[in-house]
Amino acid sequence: MTTGMTEQFIIATVDVALAAQNAVVAAESLGLGICYIGAVRNDPQTVSDLLELPDNVYPVFGLCIGAPAQDPEVKPRLPLGTVLMEETYRDEGQRDGIADYDETMRAYYRSRTGGTKESTWTEEMARLLEGERRPHMKGFLADRGFEMR
Ligand SMILES: Cc1cc2nc3c(=O)[nH]c(=O)nc-3n(C[C@H](O)[C@H](O)[C@H](O)COP(=O)(O)O)c2cc1C
């Protein structure tokens, strides 16, 4: 058996996301609420031990499903024109759409936090991308058998 291939890692991770999103659509259709939990990757070894995961399996994310205690408004989405492309990737036109979205999100954050959070989508994304996040993942995945060959 050949293991440790990057392609296997991609397939496994994509399959998890597809299965989870189908579960999410089903749960929400029943009136349940969900929250993905990427934070399981803060300490993936402990999560793997708790779940007794075998080699070549890793925790991609958690998924909480439950009866929602609140009914918050739907979070605004990026305008379709900024994420949908035909034939080839293109980024012209994205700037205006994102600028509009930033103002939408500024208002959204204000309204959701009683005026205490002053931010935009661009600022949140910049914050997400600054510094190293979960640098332990590379070594952890290699230990699980995902050698990325
Ligand atoms: C892959 C992924 C991982 C997430 N991880 C966490 C998490 O660890 N903790 C948390 O409170 N929310 C987490 N979230 C939820 C986000 O913080 C945010 O509340 C959610 O994506 C907003 O939902 P919406 O975009 O569907 O409105 C995660 C969301 C995604 C898509």
Side-chain angles (χ1 to χ4, degrees):
M1 187 170 71
T2 305
T3 58
M5 305 301 293
T6 300
E7 176 65 7
Q8 294 164 343
F9 170 77
I10 293 171
I11 291 170
T13 306
V14 170
D15 282 356
V16 166
L18 294 174
Q21 191 63 17
N22 282 326
V24 163
V25 171
E28 290 188 335
S29 77
L30 297 171
L32 297 168
I34 70 95
C35 186
Y36 285 103
I37 303 294
V40 297
R41 297 190 308 276
N42 290 349
D43 188 352
Q45 188 59 57
T46 299
V47 174
S48 301
D49 292 344
L50 277 171
L51 299 177
E52 300 182 16
L53 300 185
D55 285 347
N56 300 300
V57 176
Y58 85 100
V60 181
F61 47 73
L63 179 59
C64 303
I65 302 179
Q70 302 168 349
D71 185 18
E73 67 201 286
V74 175
K75 188 176 174 186
R77 304 300 179 199
L78 277 161
L80 200 56
T82 64
V83 293
L84 179 65
M85 294 153 202
E86 290 180 47
E87 307 302 347
T88 56
Y89 190 96
R90 43 155 195 82
D91 55 14
E92 73 272 15
Q94 281 189 333
R95 204 167 286 272
D96 288 348
I98 289 173
D100 288 348
Y101 185 61
D102 275 343
E103 290 319 306
T104 303
M105 286 306 292
R106 189 189 300 283
Y108 172 80
Y109 287 134
R110 277 185 190 144
S111 83
R112 291 281 290 159
T113 62
T116 54
K117 180 163 177 167
E118 194 57 47
S119 190
T120 64
W121 179 80
T122 297
E123 285 169 35
E124 292 298 305
M125 289 303 110
R127 195 177 53 78
L128 206 64
L129 295 174
E130 78 189 10
E132 295 186 341
R133 288 173 64 85
R134 300 189 181 120
H136 54 268
M137 283 308 293
K138 185 173 164 60
F140 169 76
L141 287 171
D143 287 349
R144 304 303 304 176
F146 295 99
E147 295 158 37
M148 305 297 174
R149 287 186 283 119

